[in-house]
Amino acid sequence: MLAMPEINYIKHLRNNEDMNITDISNKLGRNWRTVKKYADGDVPNETVRVNKRGMMYDEGYGEIVDFWLEEDMKLNRKDRRNNKNIFEQLVEEHGFKGSYRTVCDYIQFKKPQLKQLKETRYQRLEHPPGEAQVDFGNMTVVKDGNYKDLKILIMSFPYSNAAFAYPLPAENSECFLHGLKELFQQAGGVPTHLRIDNLSAAVVSVGKGDYRKYTDSFLRFQAHYGFEVQACNPARGNEKGNVEKKVDYTRCNFFVSAPIMKDFPTFTEWLKEKLVEDRNRSHYVKGKLINELWEEETKALKALPIKAFSIYSIDSSVVNKYGEITVDGEKFVIHKAHIKQGVIVKKEWDSFSCLGEDGEIIYQEMRPYMNIARKIPWDDIFGDWEKKPRSVSYSRYLKYLPERVRKYLIISADETKSRIKGLRKLYKKYSFEEIDSLLENENFLERAPHELGFMLAAKKNTYPTSFVETHTPSVLKDYETDLHSYDKRLFPNHERSMN
């Protein structure tokens, strides 16, 4: 039975707007027979609801089926249990004695109620459980002694205020989708709704109202994981305010002093652990621990697909007269391809591959942005340290030096200033890695900087090691000549007199 407001509206359209049954049915999205019943029929009286009775209700089997139906709503339709599966599972696991028709009748009666309850619950809550927001944040780390700018993809859940983050080198489509895939894995499920900004990695163009044209790769990704996308209006960052605040929170708590990054997998695990620990605090409004709220919210997530989704893009290129192709604005020489040959370029988030005419991989390389870095201004930093030598031990930059170089600087408080000056001069000629390697000998920690300079210069001027010679027969190696045979030939008389 329809609600009275909708019945009144149907009669209004029929009697006052002179609309026919078909037009009303199309306008409201209701079945033609249903519209006909209420448009031309009498106003229904309030019905008396009778509580259902039977083994499905009295013996608790209905509660089990309700749970299964809610659980299956999070899965793709092809992965859900049908009526027969539910009946067989009730019989095998719970000793159900009823008939198959009893189970079918219950499901037919209960499934619409559960669906309506879910929709009502979502409308009532400002931020329903399972709904997520996602955005990029620009952060800086230190890798291999240099600054490296990262794009941290952050996914937050406003209901619990839990968040997940994944570091990426760029904001292109491959990085964005790879990051989302990894964030879903971290969360252990797929959000029901995902609110995004109008990222070029996902949105091709913005039309009037809610119209958006999405990239094909993003639509394939969305279809595979089965979430609903909600795009913000242009210049309306407040529409995803939770994740905007989470980006600032992550920057202020974990990136104020640029952390050291060894590689992407290690740094990803470090960032994941930090955000897991961060859940052990109270929600800013609800007063409960974020961790407790997150445990509740995980029940609303959609299940992860069984089959993994491969993320890459396909492009084509032609080898120029120098044997090069261009990828991400950089030129690469393809030795296994001939001039003017067309090649297929398969781009993943961190690398790319070139495929020849027969599909064979003829070249593989990291994408150029993986190696982009900014130098740390060590000359300026050493200049500041010279003015305040005692500040070195608690400077934020000290941890970015190799371990033995750090030790060399602060091992003797009386010599810190002179060592700062000396290292500043050495750094103009040698890298910190070369200095650190020299200091493997702990006796050198007591040497003055100018002495280290002499050793480094001498090390650079040493002759190269001799190459391994492989042409001499093995029988001639380590052969010792018997000089007595030469004496007999040269001095025969001397040999006779000796006898």
Side-chain angles (χ1 to χ4, degrees), residues 137-152 167-169 250-251 254-264 266-268 270-271 370 372-376 397 399-400:
N138 297 317
M139 315 286 179
T140 301
V141 297
V142 172
K143 185 177 185 297
D144 300 328
N146 294 303
Y147 283 134
K148 186 172 182 65
D149 297 322
L150 294 182
K151 308 292 183 179
I152 308 296
L168 294 160
T250 303
R251 182 183 293 109
F254 310 130
F255 289 88
V256 168
S257 177
I260 298 174
M261 173 181 174
K262 180 183 177 183
D263 51 42
F264 275 95
T266 307
F267 188 71
T268 299
W270 173 84
L271 191 54
M370 293 294 289
I372 294 177
R374 292 184 290 115
K375 287 189 174 295
I376 298 176
Y397 299 104
K399 64 182 178 182
Y400 303 146

mmCIF file of all heavy atoms in Angstrom, residues 137-152 167-169 250-251 254-264 266-268 270-271 370 372-376 397 399-400:
data_model
loop_
_atom_site.group_PDB
_atom_site.id
_atom_site.type_symbol
_atom_site.label_atom_id
_atom_site.label_comp_id
_atom_site.label_asym_id
_atom_site.label_seq_id
_atom_site.Cartn_x
_atom_site.Cartn_y
_atom_site.Cartn_z
ATOM 1 N N GLY A 137 46.185 14.855 -0.992
ATOM 2 C CA GLY A 137 46.881 15.871 -0.214
ATOM 3 C C GLY A 137 48.345 15.887 -0.608
ATOM 4 O O GLY A 137 48.948 14.833 -0.852
ATOM 5 N N ASN A 138 48.941 17.060 -0.729
ATOM 6 C CA ASN A 138 50.355 17.183 -1.088
ATOM 7 C C ASN A 138 51.206 17.123 0.182
ATOM 8 O O ASN A 138 51.035 17.936 1.084
ATOM 9 C CB ASN A 138 50.609 18.502 -1.821
ATOM 10 C CG ASN A 138 49.867 18.576 -3.141
ATOM 11 O OD1 ASN A 138 49.828 17.611 -3.889
ATOM 12 N ND2 ASN A 138 49.266 19.717 -3.427
ATOM 13 N N MET A 139 52.116 16.170 0.252
ATOM 14 C CA MET A 139 52.998 15.986 1.404
ATOM 15 C C MET A 139 54.442 15.842 0.921
ATOM 16 O O MET A 139 54.688 15.528 -0.252
ATOM 17 C CB MET A 139 52.609 14.742 2.207
ATOM 18 C CG MET A 139 51.121 14.580 2.466
ATOM 19 S SD MET A 139 50.471 15.698 3.708
ATOM 20 C CE MET A 139 48.726 15.225 3.700
ATOM 21 N N THR A 140 55.380 16.057 1.828
ATOM 22 C CA THR A 140 56.803 15.954 1.494
ATOM 23 C C THR A 140 57.485 14.937 2.406
ATOM 24 O O THR A 140 57.245 14.920 3.619
ATOM 25 C CB THR A 140 57.495 17.316 1.647
ATOM 26 O OG1 THR A 140 56.863 18.265 0.781
ATOM 27 C CG2 THR A 140 58.966 17.229 1.278
ATOM 28 N N VAL A 141 58.331 14.099 1.812
ATOM 29 C CA VAL A 141 59.140 13.140 2.562
ATOM 30 C C VAL A 141 60.600 13.313 2.146
ATOM 31 O O VAL A 141 60.918 14.092 1.240
ATOM 32 C CB VAL A 141 58.681 11.690 2.286
ATOM 33 C CG1 VAL A 141 57.262 11.476 2.752
ATOM 34 C CG2 VAL A 141 58.820 11.351 0.797
ATOM 35 N N VAL A 142 61.477 12.585 2.828
ATOM 36 C CA VAL A 142 62.888 12.574 2.453
ATOM 37 C C VAL A 142 63.251 11.162 2.005
ATOM 38 O O VAL A 142 63.066 10.197 2.748
ATOM 39 C CB VAL A 142 63.787 13.006 3.629
ATOM 40 C CG1 VAL A 142 65.257 12.797 3.276
ATOM 41 C CG2 VAL A 142 63.532 14.465 3.970
ATOM 42 N N LYS A 143 63.732 11.041 0.771
ATOM 43 C CA LYS A 143 64.113 9.753 0.209
ATOM 44 C C LYS A 143 65.491 9.870 -0.418
ATOM 45 O O LYS A 143 65.741 10.761 -1.237
ATOM 46 C CB LYS A 143 63.094 9.308 -0.841
ATOM 47 C CG LYS A 143 63.343 7.910 -1.399
ATOM 48 C CD LYS A 143 62.249 7.516 -2.373
ATOM 49 C CE LYS A 143 62.416 6.083 -2.845
ATOM 50 N NZ LYS A 143 63.676 5.883 -3.595
ATOM 51 N N ASP A 144 66.394 8.978 0.001
ATOM 52 C CA ASP A 144 67.763 8.963 -0.523
ATOM 53 C C ASP A 144 68.449 10.318 -0.354
ATOM 54 O O ASP A 144 69.187 10.774 -1.243
ATOM 55 C CB ASP A 144 67.785 8.553 -1.995
ATOM 56 C CG ASP A 144 67.207 7.160 -2.221
ATOM 57 O OD1 ASP A 144 67.356 6.317 -1.318
ATOM 58 O OD2 ASP A 144 66.600 6.925 -3.271
ATOM 59 N N GLY A 145 68.201 10.982 0.783
ATOM 60 C CA GLY A 145 68.868 12.248 1.080
ATOM 61 C C GLY A 145 68.310 13.447 0.353
ATOM 62 O O GLY A 145 68.914 14.521 0.404
ATOM 63 N N ASN A 146 67.160 13.312 -0.320
ATOM 64 C CA ASN A 146 66.544 14.425 -1.038
ATOM 65 C C ASN A 146 65.066 14.530 -0.673
ATOM 66 O O ASN A 146 64.432 13.547 -0.263
ATOM 67 C CB ASN A 146 66.676 14.241 -2.558
ATOM 68 C CG ASN A 146 68.112 14.302 -3.028
ATOM 69 O OD1 ASN A 146 68.809 15.286 -2.795
ATOM 70 N ND2 ASN A 146 68.566 13.253 -3.683
ATOM 71 N N TYR A 147 64.522 15.731 -0.832
ATOM 72 C CA TYR A 147 63.082 15.898 -0.659
ATOM 73 C C TYR A 147 62.361 15.240 -1.828
ATOM 74 O O TYR A 147 62.802 15.307 -2.976
ATOM 75 C CB TYR A 147 62.710 17.385 -0.640
ATOM 76 C CG TYR A 147 63.003 18.097 0.652
ATOM 77 C CD1 TYR A 147 63.634 19.344 0.645
ATOM 78 C CD2 TYR A 147 62.645 17.552 1.875
ATOM 79 C CE1 TYR A 147 63.899 20.032 1.822
ATOM 80 C CE2 TYR A 147 62.906 18.215 3.061
ATOM 81 C CZ TYR A 147 63.531 19.443 3.035
ATOM 82 O OH TYR A 147 63.790 20.106 4.199
ATOM 83 N N LYS A 148 61.228 14.615 -1.523
ATOM 84 C CA LYS A 148 60.372 14.052 -2.563
ATOM 85 C C LYS A 148 58.930 14.432 -2.241
ATOM 86 O O LYS A 148 58.450 14.201 -1.135
ATOM 87 C CB LYS A 148 60.506 12.530 -2.635
ATOM 88 C CG LYS A 148 59.728 11.922 -3.799
ATOM 89 C CD LYS A 148 60.037 10.452 -3.966
ATOM 90 C CE LYS A 148 59.301 9.873 -5.166
ATOM 91 N NZ LYS A 148 59.747 10.459 -6.440
ATOM 92 N N ASP A 149 58.249 15.047 -3.213
ATOM 93 C CA ASP A 149 56.859 15.460 -3.033
ATOM 94 C C ASP A 149 55.934 14.306 -3.408
ATOM 95 O O ASP A 149 56.039 13.748 -4.506
ATOM 96 C CB ASP A 149 56.545 16.686 -3.898
ATOM 97 C CG ASP A 149 57.373 17.899 -3.486
ATOM 98 O OD1 ASP A 149 57.577 18.076 -2.271
ATOM 99 O OD2 ASP A 149 57.825 18.645 -4.374
ATOM 100 N N LEU A 150 55.049 13.962 -2.494
ATOM 101 C CA LEU A 150 54.114 12.866 -2.713
ATOM 102 C C LEU A 150 52.679 13.370 -2.768
ATOM 103 O O LEU A 150 52.355 14.433 -2.233
ATOM 104 C CB LEU A 150 54.228 11.828 -1.585
ATOM 105 C CG LEU A 150 55.524 11.035 -1.465
ATOM 106 C CD1 LEU A 150 55.410 10.043 -0.325
ATOM 107 C CD2 LEU A 150 55.865 10.314 -2.753
ATOM 108 N N LYS A 151 51.846 12.600 -3.418
ATOM 109 C CA LYS A 151 50.408 12.818 -3.411
ATOM 110 C C LYS A 151 49.808 11.726 -2.520
ATOM 111 O O LYS A 151 49.832 10.548 -2.887
ATOM 112 C CB LYS A 151 49.826 12.715 -4.823
ATOM 113 C CG LYS A 151 50.529 13.581 -5.856
ATOM 114 C CD LYS A 151 50.306 15.056 -5.590
ATOM 115 C CE LYS A 151 50.957 15.902 -6.691
ATOM 116 N NZ LYS A 151 50.738 17.342 -6.474
ATOM 117 N N ILE A 152 49.312 12.102 -1.353
ATOM 118 C CA ILE A 152 48.733 11.127 -0.436
ATOM 119 C C ILE A 152 47.228 11.062 -0.687
ATOM 120 O O ILE A 152 46.515 12.045 -0.495
ATOM 121 C CB ILE A 152 49.000 11.502 1.030
ATOM 122 C CG1 ILE A 152 50.503 11.753 1.261
ATOM 123 C CG2 ILE A 152 48.491 10.409 1.954
ATOM 124 C CD1 ILE A 152 51.381 10.550 1.047
ATOM 125 N N PRO A 167 50.263 6.495 -0.277
ATOM 126 C CA PRO A 167 51.171 7.432 -0.957
ATOM 127 C C PRO A 167 51.326 7.105 -2.433
ATOM 128 O O PRO A 167 51.470 5.948 -2.814
ATOM 129 C CB PRO A 167 52.490 7.226 -0.203
ATOM 130 C CG PRO A 167 52.441 5.805 0.262
ATOM 131 C CD PRO A 167 50.997 5.505 0.531
ATOM 132 N N LEU A 168 51.316 8.150 -3.256
ATOM 133 C CA LEU A 168 51.434 7.988 -4.702
ATOM 134 C C LEU A 168 52.334 9.078 -5.272
ATOM 135 O O LEU A 168 52.455 10.154 -4.684
ATOM 136 C CB LEU A 168 50.056 8.066 -5.354
ATOM 137 C CG LEU A 168 49.096 6.917 -5.009
ATOM 138 C CD1 LEU A 168 47.660 7.312 -5.279
ATOM 139 C CD2 LEU A 168 49.467 5.659 -5.782
ATOM 140 N N PRO A 169 52.960 8.823 -6.418
ATOM 141 C CA PRO A 169 53.860 9.827 -6.996
ATOM 142 C C PRO A 169 53.165 10.881 -7.854
ATOM 143 O O PRO A 169 53.757 11.904 -8.164
ATOM 144 C CB PRO A 169 54.807 8.979 -7.849
ATOM 145 C CG PRO A 169 53.985 7.804 -8.253
ATOM 146 C CD PRO A 169 53.041 7.533 -7.126
ATOM 147 N N THR A 250 46.208 14.840 8.832
ATOM 148 C CA THR A 250 47.318 13.935 8.492
ATOM 149 C C THR A 250 48.606 14.716 8.294
ATOM 150 O O THR A 250 49.679 14.307 8.758
ATOM 151 C CB THR A 250 46.969 13.146 7.210
ATOM 152 O OG1 THR A 250 45.743 12.440 7.408
ATOM 153 C CG2 THR A 250 48.075 12.166 6.860
ATOM 154 N N ARG A 251 48.523 15.855 7.615
ATOM 155 C CA ARG A 251 49.711 16.673 7.387
ATOM 156 C C ARG A 251 50.283 17.201 8.706
ATOM 157 O O ARG A 251 51.488 17.140 8.941
ATOM 158 C CB ARG A 251 49.373 17.842 6.458
ATOM 159 C CG ARG A 251 50.574 18.726 6.121
ATOM 160 C CD ARG A 251 50.180 19.908 5.260
ATOM 161 N NE ARG A 251 49.750 19.508 3.933
ATOM 162 C CZ ARG A 251 48.496 19.576 3.504
ATOM 163 N NH1 ARG A 251 47.530 20.039 4.310
ATOM 164 N NH2 ARG A 251 48.185 19.202 2.283
ATOM 165 N N PHE A 254 51.594 13.926 10.977
ATOM 166 C CA PHE A 254 52.570 12.954 10.492
ATOM 167 C C PHE A 254 53.591 13.519 9.503
ATOM 168 O O PHE A 254 54.562 12.848 9.176
ATOM 169 C CB PHE A 254 51.849 11.773 9.828
ATOM 170 C CG PHE A 254 50.750 11.188 10.668
ATOM 171 C CD1 PHE A 254 49.491 10.982 10.139
ATOM 172 C CD2 PHE A 254 50.969 10.869 11.996
ATOM 173 C CE1 PHE A 254 48.467 10.457 10.911
ATOM 174 C CE2 PHE A 254 49.953 10.335 12.786
ATOM 175 C CZ PHE A 254 48.699 10.132 12.243
ATOM 176 N N PHE A 255 53.387 14.772 9.007
ATOM 177 C CA PHE A 255 54.258 15.290 7.959
ATOM 178 C C PHE A 255 54.823 16.674 8.254
ATOM 179 O O PHE A 255 55.408 17.280 7.364
ATOM 180 C CB PHE A 255 53.508 15.333 6.621
ATOM 181 C CG PHE A 255 53.248 13.985 6.022
ATOM 182 C CD1 PHE A 255 52.108 13.278 6.366
ATOM 183 C CD2 PHE A 255 54.138 13.416 5.131
ATOM 184 C CE1 PHE A 255 51.850 12.035 5.827
ATOM 185 C CE2 PHE A 255 53.897 12.170 4.580
ATOM 186 C CZ PHE A 255 52.755 11.475 4.928
ATOM 187 N N VAL A 256 54.646 17.184 9.482
ATOM 188 C CA VAL A 256 55.217 18.502 9.791
ATOM 189 C C VAL A 256 56.733 18.447 9.661
ATOM 190 O O VAL A 256 57.363 19.302 9.050
ATOM 191 C CB VAL A 256 54.806 18.944 11.208
ATOM 192 C CG1 VAL A 256 55.619 20.150 11.633
ATOM 193 C CG2 VAL A 256 53.326 19.301 11.232
ATOM 194 N N SER A 257 57.345 17.428 10.243
ATOM 195 C CA SER A 257 58.751 17.137 9.993
ATOM 196 C C SER A 257 58.773 16.004 8.980
ATOM 197 O O SER A 257 58.295 14.897 9.266
ATOM 198 C CB SER A 257 59.449 16.711 11.290
ATOM 199 O OG SER A 257 60.783 16.370 11.046
ATOM 200 N N ALA A 258 59.265 16.283 7.778
ATOM 201 C CA ALA A 258 59.173 15.305 6.682
ATOM 202 C C ALA A 258 59.720 13.947 7.106
ATOM 203 O O ALA A 258 60.898 13.837 7.479
ATOM 204 C CB ALA A 258 59.935 15.822 5.467
ATOM 205 N N PRO A 259 58.895 12.893 7.087
ATOM 206 C CA PRO A 259 59.388 11.565 7.473
ATOM 207 C C PRO A 259 60.334 10.994 6.419
ATOM 208 O O PRO A 259 60.315 11.411 5.263
ATOM 209 C CB PRO A 259 58.101 10.732 7.564
ATOM 210 C CG PRO A 259 57.137 11.426 6.667
ATOM 211 C CD PRO A 259 57.477 12.884 6.716
ATOM 212 N N ILE A 260 61.155 10.053 6.846
ATOM 213 C CA ILE A 260 62.104 9.411 5.928
ATOM 214 C C ILE A 260 61.418 8.246 5.242
ATOM 215 O O ILE A 260 60.786 7.407 5.885
ATOM 216 C CB ILE A 260 63.356 8.933 6.687
ATOM 217 C CG1 ILE A 260 64.076 10.133 7.315
ATOM 218 C CG2 ILE A 260 64.296 8.177 5.765
ATOM 219 C CD1 ILE A 260 65.235 9.768 8.208
ATOM 220 N N MET A 261 61.553 8.183 3.940
ATOM 221 C CA MET A 261 60.912 7.136 3.138
ATOM 222 C C MET A 261 61.988 6.263 2.489
ATOM 223 O O MET A 261 62.834 6.757 1.743
ATOM 224 C CB MET A 261 60.037 7.784 2.066
ATOM 225 C CG MET A 261 59.447 6.809 1.066
ATOM 226 S SD MET A 261 58.457 7.697 -0.175
ATOM 227 C CE MET A 261 58.055 6.357 -1.297
ATOM 228 N N LYS A 262 61.931 4.974 2.771
ATOM 229 C CA LYS A 262 62.858 4.036 2.140
ATOM 230 C C LYS A 262 62.361 3.660 0.745
ATOM 231 O O LYS A 262 63.077 3.752 -0.235
ATOM 232 C CB LYS A 262 63.017 2.785 3.003
ATOM 233 C CG LYS A 262 63.959 1.754 2.417
ATOM 234 C CD LYS A 262 64.019 0.512 3.294
ATOM 235 C CE LYS A 262 64.905 -0.556 2.680
ATOM 236 N NZ LYS A 262 64.918 -1.800 3.496
ATOM 237 N N ASP A 263 61.108 3.206 0.681
ATOM 238 C CA ASP A 263 60.461 2.874 -0.589
ATOM 239 C C ASP A 263 58.958 2.951 -0.377
ATOM 240 O O ASP A 263 58.479 3.131 0.743
ATOM 241 C CB ASP A 263 60.889 1.486 -1.099
ATOM 242 C CG ASP A 263 60.739 0.416 -0.026
ATOM 243 O OD1 ASP A 263 59.718 0.432 0.688
ATOM 244 O OD2 ASP A 263 61.636 -0.423 0.107
ATOM 245 N N PHE A 264 58.190 2.800 -1.445
ATOM 246 C CA PHE A 264 56.737 2.951 -1.347
ATOM 247 C C PHE A 264 56.094 1.885 -0.454
ATOM 248 O O PHE A 264 55.252 2.223 0.381
ATOM 249 C CB PHE A 264 56.108 2.954 -2.739
ATOM 250 C CG PHE A 264 56.100 4.315 -3.384
ATOM 251 C CD1 PHE A 264 57.109 4.692 -4.253
ATOM 252 C CD2 PHE A 264 55.094 5.227 -3.108
ATOM 253 C CE1 PHE A 264 57.119 5.949 -4.841
ATOM 254 C CE2 PHE A 264 55.092 6.490 -3.684
ATOM 255 C CZ PHE A 264 56.100 6.852 -4.552
ATOM 256 N N THR A 266 57.290 0.117 2.125
ATOM 257 C CA THR A 266 57.622 0.329 3.539
ATOM 258 C C THR A 266 56.915 1.558 4.078
ATOM 259 O O THR A 266 56.371 1.550 5.191
ATOM 260 C CB THR A 266 59.142 0.483 3.709
ATOM 261 O OG1 THR A 266 59.805 -0.633 3.110
ATOM 262 C CG2 THR A 266 59.516 0.560 5.176
ATOM 263 N N PHE A 267 56.900 2.637 3.286
ATOM 264 C CA PHE A 267 56.272 3.866 3.745
ATOM 265 C C PHE A 267 54.755 3.705 3.836
ATOM 266 O O PHE A 267 54.113 4.244 4.746
ATOM 267 C CB PHE A 267 56.615 5.014 2.789
ATOM 268 C CG PHE A 267 56.174 6.358 3.291
ATOM 269 C CD1 PHE A 267 56.814 6.960 4.361
ATOM 270 C CD2 PHE A 267 55.105 7.011 2.707
ATOM 271 C CE1 PHE A 267 56.414 8.197 4.834
ATOM 272 C CE2 PHE A 267 54.686 8.248 3.168
ATOM 273 C CZ PHE A 267 55.348 8.837 4.243
ATOM 274 N N THR A 268 54.169 2.942 2.925
ATOM 275 C CA THR A 268 52.731 2.680 2.977
ATOM 276 C C THR A 268 52.355 1.974 4.272
ATOM 277 O O THR A 268 51.365 2.317 4.923
ATOM 278 C CB THR A 268 52.305 1.814 1.776
ATOM 279 O OG1 THR A 268 52.601 2.514 0.564
ATOM 280 C CG2 THR A 268 50.826 1.491 1.824
ATOM 281 N N TRP A 270 54.027 2.024 7.102
ATOM 282 C CA TRP A 270 54.214 2.974 8.216
ATOM 283 C C TRP A 270 53.011 3.902 8.349
ATOM 284 O O TRP A 270 52.494 4.114 9.461
ATOM 285 C CB TRP A 270 55.481 3.788 7.976
ATOM 286 C CG TRP A 270 55.690 4.895 8.960
ATOM 287 C CD1 TRP A 270 56.257 4.791 10.202
ATOM 288 C CD2 TRP A 270 55.336 6.282 8.802
ATOM 289 N NE1 TRP A 270 56.279 6.022 10.824
ATOM 290 C CE2 TRP A 270 55.727 6.951 9.991
ATOM 291 C CE3 TRP A 270 54.741 7.016 7.779
ATOM 292 C CZ2 TRP A 270 55.526 8.321 10.174
ATOM 293 C CZ3 TRP A 270 54.537 8.377 7.951
ATOM 294 C CH2 TRP A 270 54.925 9.016 9.142
ATOM 295 N N LEU A 271 52.536 4.432 7.242
ATOM 296 C CA LEU A 271 51.408 5.356 7.269
ATOM 297 C C LEU A 271 50.132 4.633 7.698
ATOM 298 O O LEU A 271 49.311 5.185 8.452
ATOM 299 C CB LEU A 271 51.228 5.978 5.880
ATOM 300 C CG LEU A 271 50.268 7.162 5.745
ATOM 301 C CD1 LEU A 271 50.619 8.261 6.731
ATOM 302 C CD2 LEU A 271 50.294 7.694 4.324
ATOM 303 N N MET A 370 58.746 8.869 -10.942
ATOM 304 C CA MET A 370 59.192 8.087 -9.784
ATOM 305 C C MET A 370 60.546 8.570 -9.267
ATOM 306 O O MET A 370 60.877 8.380 -8.093
ATOM 307 C CB MET A 370 59.291 6.601 -10.158
ATOM 308 C CG MET A 370 57.959 5.950 -10.459
ATOM 309 S SD MET A 370 56.877 5.840 -9.014
ATOM 310 C CE MET A 370 57.716 4.584 -8.055
ATOM 311 N N ILE A 372 61.700 11.848 -9.564
ATOM 312 C CA ILE A 372 61.758 13.300 -9.351
ATOM 313 C C ILE A 372 61.991 13.589 -7.865
ATOM 314 O O ILE A 372 61.316 13.036 -7.005
ATOM 315 C CB ILE A 372 60.459 13.975 -9.827
ATOM 316 C CG1 ILE A 372 60.327 13.828 -11.347
ATOM 317 C CG2 ILE A 372 60.426 15.443 -9.432
ATOM 318 C CD1 ILE A 372 59.038 14.402 -11.903
ATOM 319 N N ALA A 373 62.946 14.437 -7.576
ATOM 320 C CA ALA A 373 63.260 14.792 -6.185
ATOM 321 C C ALA A 373 63.802 16.215 -6.140
ATOM 322 O O ALA A 373 64.188 16.788 -7.162
ATOM 323 C CB ALA A 373 64.280 13.814 -5.603
ATOM 324 N N ARG A 374 63.805 16.793 -4.950
ATOM 325 C CA ARG A 374 64.370 18.134 -4.730
ATOM 326 C C ARG A 374 65.502 18.021 -3.716
ATOM 327 O O ARG A 374 65.396 17.311 -2.711
ATOM 328 C CB ARG A 374 63.303 19.090 -4.169
ATOM 329 C CG ARG A 374 62.217 19.428 -5.151
ATOM 330 C CD ARG A 374 61.256 20.466 -4.555
ATOM 331 N NE ARG A 374 60.446 19.940 -3.478
ATOM 332 C CZ ARG A 374 60.501 20.320 -2.211
ATOM 333 N NH1 ARG A 374 61.377 21.254 -1.834
ATOM 334 N NH2 ARG A 374 59.699 19.806 -1.291
ATOM 335 N N LYS A 375 66.584 18.729 -3.986
ATOM 336 C CA LYS A 375 67.725 18.677 -3.073
ATOM 337 C C LYS A 375 67.404 19.411 -1.774
ATOM 338 O O LYS A 375 66.758 20.458 -1.771
ATOM 339 C CB LYS A 375 68.963 19.294 -3.728
ATOM 340 C CG LYS A 375 69.581 18.424 -4.816
ATOM 341 C CD LYS A 375 70.907 18.996 -5.261
ATOM 342 C CE LYS A 375 71.602 18.056 -6.235
ATOM 343 N NZ LYS A 375 71.970 16.771 -5.604
ATOM 344 N N ILE A 376 67.878 18.864 -0.679
ATOM 345 C CA ILE A 376 67.778 19.555 0.611
ATOM 346 C C ILE A 376 68.853 20.646 0.627
ATOM 347 O O ILE A 376 70.010 20.375 0.290
ATOM 348 C CB ILE A 376 67.993 18.563 1.768
ATOM 349 C CG1 ILE A 376 66.907 17.485 1.743
ATOM 350 C CG2 ILE A 376 67.996 19.290 3.121
ATOM 351 C CD1 ILE A 376 67.076 16.406 2.795
ATOM 352 N N TYR A 397 66.688 18.525 10.771
ATOM 353 C CA TYR A 397 67.398 18.050 9.590
ATOM 354 C C TYR A 397 68.465 17.006 9.914
ATOM 355 O O TYR A 397 68.946 16.326 9.013
ATOM 356 C CB TYR A 397 68.068 19.223 8.863
ATOM 357 C CG TYR A 397 67.092 20.264 8.377
ATOM 358 C CD1 TYR A 397 66.946 21.474 9.039
ATOM 359 C CD2 TYR A 397 66.295 20.035 7.262
ATOM 360 C CE1 TYR A 397 66.034 22.429 8.613
ATOM 361 C CE2 TYR A 397 65.381 20.981 6.818
ATOM 362 C CZ TYR A 397 65.259 22.177 7.498
ATOM 363 O OH TYR A 397 64.356 23.110 7.075
ATOM 364 N N LYS A 399 68.358 14.116 11.293
ATOM 365 C CA LYS A 399 67.987 12.724 11.004
ATOM 366 C C LYS A 399 68.072 12.398 9.518
ATOM 367 O O LYS A 399 68.042 11.217 9.137
ATOM 368 C CB LYS A 399 66.578 12.443 11.514
ATOM 369 C CG LYS A 399 65.488 13.254 10.835
ATOM 370 C CD LYS A 399 64.122 12.946 11.442
ATOM 371 C CE LYS A 399 63.020 13.787 10.795
ATOM 372 N NZ LYS A 399 61.704 13.537 11.412
ATOM 373 N N TYR A 400 68.173 13.422 8.656
ATOM 374 C CA TYR A 400 68.251 13.166 7.220
ATOM 375 C C TYR A 400 69.671 12.844 6.762
ATOM 376 O O TYR A 400 69.876 12.435 5.619
ATOM 377 C CB TYR A 400 67.728 14.369 6.431
ATOM 378 C CG TYR A 400 66.307 14.768 6.785
ATOM 379 C CD1 TYR A 400 65.907 16.091 6.773
ATOM 380 C CD2 TYR A 400 65.374 13.798 7.126
ATOM 381 C CE1 TYR A 400 64.608 16.457 7.103
ATOM 382 C CE2 TYR A 400 64.077 14.152 7.459
ATOM 383 C CZ TYR A 400 63.694 15.489 7.443
ATOM 384 O OH TYR A 400 62.410 15.841 7.764
#
